[in-house]
Amino acid sequence: MSILNNNKKYEITLSAIAVNDKLNKDHKACGISFTNNKEIYLPLCGCGNMPVLHRRLLELLSNQKEAINVNINSFLKLANPDHQQTIVNSFFTIDDFLTNKYSLKTTKSKRIEHNFIIDAIKYANLIKIAKVITEAENLSKTLMVMPSNYLTVDEFERIVKNKFQGLKNIKFSVLHKSELTKKKMGLILAVGKASPKVNEPRIIVVEYNNTPSKKKIALVGKGIIFDTGGLHLKPGESMTGMHGDMSGAALTLASIYAMAKLNINANVVGVAALATNEISADAYRVNDVITSYSGKTVEILNTDAEGRLALADGIAYAKRDLKANTIMTVATLTGAICIALGETYTGIWTSNDALWSSVSEASILAGESLWRMPFHYEYQNAIVNNTKIADLANITSTRFAGSNTAAEFLHVFADGTNFIHADIAGSNEYHKEFIPILVKTMLYLTKNFK
């Protein structure tokens, strides 16, 4: 990306156009781009739906085979002032997603460097913030893409520790296997029982404290570095891409990195529950009953429902030890959410309407699409009543409402604390590429939390 204040570098230019503009009326387009004399126009219908705009920009720019000029000034001129930061964020983060890719290829492919036309003086602060968010998203994207033979649990810890080093108001700590054992965190230890030493389970804790307020949000991320399914071994096709099963951990920590770099006034803690779900003679088995950190017992009925186990101990730690009064989990948790919402929406569960309002408002500023999903006592009963020997089972007896019952499993461990759950199993991909979803939503949720 290059930034030239008002200079056109290439022949074709992408610009915004008002929906009531005569040129747009002549083409009878609303929200659908059209081309006219080497100009690509995107009509803005009120410029109010930021998630839709972000998606359309992603589609437009990803379909360009050659570099073009992008007249960001034209979008900002038509935008509500409250949405100007969102628009600049979208252009910068989309450009980074499309051009700044982690690769182990010996021959590097040519990068398409679009030319951003933006008043770099007038919008200097918007650009500064967008660059920080882009850096944070790139951190998470890189971790998500790295193969698991490169990104071990040890390496994940090393990378994020180095990234946070020297940042103000940050405390970085790790509960290694010995500490997990002392604390009797049985669930995450069970998931990682078959792992070699470089992949031993652990919980990374990143605390960001920058306000005297007693409000503290915990962002608990699923960090399964690779998921074979355990003894419930995944079929080959389903195992492809499971190096990205740690996306929740990468995204939550990346968002806190952005918070620290932007010096926002908030108290936030990131809890990354890391493990690998592998196979050996030591692997945890079906019908094992495991005691969680909360004290609740869980019967294992499927070893491929491991993410919720690691998260459950992370939730209990955030509540008991870190004294968080709001907990949000982010996880590639279920295939069921992909069937329900595809790649377009992130499924969101909240324990009350006020929390939904907060996270929904944050997603609009982030330009990210969320869909509210239901908590219901029948879903919880399906988990609790599916075992005769423990407090709850890790799956239900049917495949019905799989993402809802998984969310209710986590909800049990929040145990009355304000709770948000995000299932990103579909939305963390765009055309089979991992995308850094929710980094901005978590940033704005925390920044504006009431």
Side-chain angles (χ1 to χ4, degrees):
M1 166 214 322
S2 61
I3 300 176
L4 301 176
N5 281 342
N6 285 297
N7 299 314
K8 291 189 176 181
K9 190 175 180 181
Y10 304 113
E11 285 190 23
I12 298 175
T13 300
L14 168 64
S15 300
I17 189 171
V19 70
N20 59 358
D21 189 282
K22 183 180 184 302
L23 183 62
N24 179 55
K25 289 181 178 179
D26 290 344
H27 283 79
K28 299 180 180 179
C30 180
I32 301 172
S33 62
F34 63 91
T35 304
N36 187 68
N37 294 330
K38 295 186 178 180
E39 297 278 338
I40 304 173
Y41 292 104
L42 181 61
L44 299 186
C45 302
C47 206
N49 195 329
M50 291 296 100
V52 170
L53 176 61
H54 180 87
R55 204 72 177 183
R56 285 176 176 154
L57 291 173
L58 179 56
E59 291 170 1
L60 264 173
L61 293 176
S62 63
N63 288 330
Q64 299 305 312
K65 304 303 181 186
E66 300 291 337
I68 63 172
N69 305 303
V70 180
N71 186 359
I72 301 178
N73 288 329
S74 67
F75 287 83
L76 296 175
K77 182 179 178 181
L78 294 174
N80 182 316
D82 292 340
H83 294 155
Q84 287 185 333
Q85 183 68 66
T86 308
I87 287 172
V88 177
N89 290 346
S90 286
F91 279 111
F92 277 66
T93 56
I94 289 170
D95 183 76
D96 185 77
F97 168 70
L98 294 174
T99 64
N100 191 11
K101 297 179 184 293
Y102 174 88
S103 174
L104 296 169
K105 291 184 177 181
T106 54
T107 303
K108 303 300 181 185
S109 57
K110 182 183 176 182
R111 289 172 55 169
I112 298 177
E113 296 277 357
H114 295 306
N115 174 42
F116 284 179
I117 300 173
I118 183 171
D119 189 329
I121 297 175
K122 181 178 180 180
Y123 300 118
N125 193 53
L126 301 184
I127 293 171
K128 178 182 176 182
I129 292 171
K131 285 183 174 180
V132 170
I133 293 172
T134 300
E135 182 188 0
E137 288 199 354
N138 184 264
L139 166 64
S140 62
K141 181 182 66 173
T142 299
L143 291 169
M144 291 156 72
V145 171
M146 287 179 71
S148 60
N149 62 322
Y150 283 76
L151 187 71
T152 61
V153 178
D154 277 354
E155 182 66 2
F156 186 106
E157 178 186 332
R158 186 194 68 78
I159 290 172
V160 296
K161 183 178 182 179
N162 288 344
K163 199 70 178 177
F164 281 100
Q165 198 163 13
L167 290 184
K168 288 176 60 178
N169 305 310
I170 287 289
K171 178 184 176 183
F172 186 96
S173 59
V174 184
L175 300 176
H176 289 104
K177 185 178 179 181
S178 57
E179 287 87 0
L180 300 180
T181 303
K182 286 178 185 176
K183 286 184 171 291
K184 300 181 180 179
M185 293 190 172
L187 294 179
I188 190 171
L189 285 167
V191 173
K193 276 184 70 177
S195 302
K197 190 171 179 59
V198 293
N199 284 325
E200 282 184 347
R202 70 204 66 179
I203 291 179
I204 293 177
V205 181
V206 180
E207 298 176 71
Y208 174 70
N209 293 302
N210 195 27
T211 176
S213 170
K214 293 183 179 180
K215 291 181 179 178
K216 181 187 286 188
I217 301 177
L219 304 175
V220 183
K222 174 186 172 183
I224 304 300
I225 298 295
F226 194 83
D227 179 19
T228 67
L231 293 180
H232 272 98
L233 187 66
K234 293 178 183 288
E237 185 177 328
S238 298
M239 205 182 297
T240 302
M242 284 299 106
H243 63 297
D245 211 20
M246 36 57 66
S247 295
L251 295 165
T252 52
L253 297 187
S255 188
I256 294 175
Y257 176 79
M259 296 172 201
K261 291 279 283 188
L262 294 172
N263 197 37
I264 70 166
N265 294 322
N267 298 325
V268 191
V269 59
V271 178
L274 304 179
T276 54
N277 188 21
E278 303 194 50
I279 299 172
S280 78
D282 295 323
Y284 74 127
R285 298 174 296 272
V286 175
N287 296 123
D288 283 358
V289 175
I290 313 296
T291 302
S292 68
Y293 184 50
S294 72
K296 294 179 176 66
T297 54
V298 179
E299 184 176 8
I300 307 302
L301 297 182
N302 191 319
T303 62
D304 197 21
E306 85 298 326
R308 65 197 70 182
L309 303 177
L311 286 170
D313 276 347
I315 292 167
Y317 182 77
K319 177 181 172 68
R320 181 189 296 183
D321 294 61
L322 301 173
K323 311 300 182 187
N325 37 45
T326 298
I327 297 172
M328 179 175 182
T329 52
V330 180
T332 47
L333 202 63
T334 66
I337 200 66
C338 303
I339 303 301
L341 301 177
E343 292 182 347
T344 307
Y345 287 92
T346 295
I348 296 287
W349 292 254
T350 65
S351 55
N352 58 61
D353 291 340
L355 284 177
W356 166 248
S357 294
S358 294
V359 73
S360 179
E361 289 168 10
S363 74
I364 292 170
L365 293 174
E368 296 177 320
S369 298
L370 310 182
W371 193 268
R372 191 177 187 182
M373 301 290 285
F375 280 131
H376 196 282
Y377 73 91
E378 289 187 7
Y379 299 141
Q380 189 172 123
N381 286 347
I383 289 284
V384 172
N385 296 335
N386 199 32
T387 174
K388 296 180 180 179
I389 196 172
D391 293 321
L392 64 166
N394 74 328
I395 62 167
T396 65
S397 60
T398 74
R399 299 182 67 185
F400 295 165
S403 56
N404 293 323
T405 55
E408 279 289 5
F409 180 91
L410 300 178
H411 196 193
V412 168
F413 292 89
D415 198 21
T417 302
N418 287 336
F419 185 59
I420 305 167
H421 169 57
D423 194 337
I424 59 168
S427 60
N428 78 321
E429 291 190 39
Y430 179 76
H431 294 181
K432 297 186 177 180
E433 286 192 66
F434 292 123
I435 192 166
I437 196 73
L438 294 192
V439 170
K440 296 186 288 289
T441 292
M442 287 184 279
L443 170 65
Y444 288 117
L445 171 67
T446 303
K447 181 181 178 183
N448 301 323
F449 195 70
K450 299 179 179 66

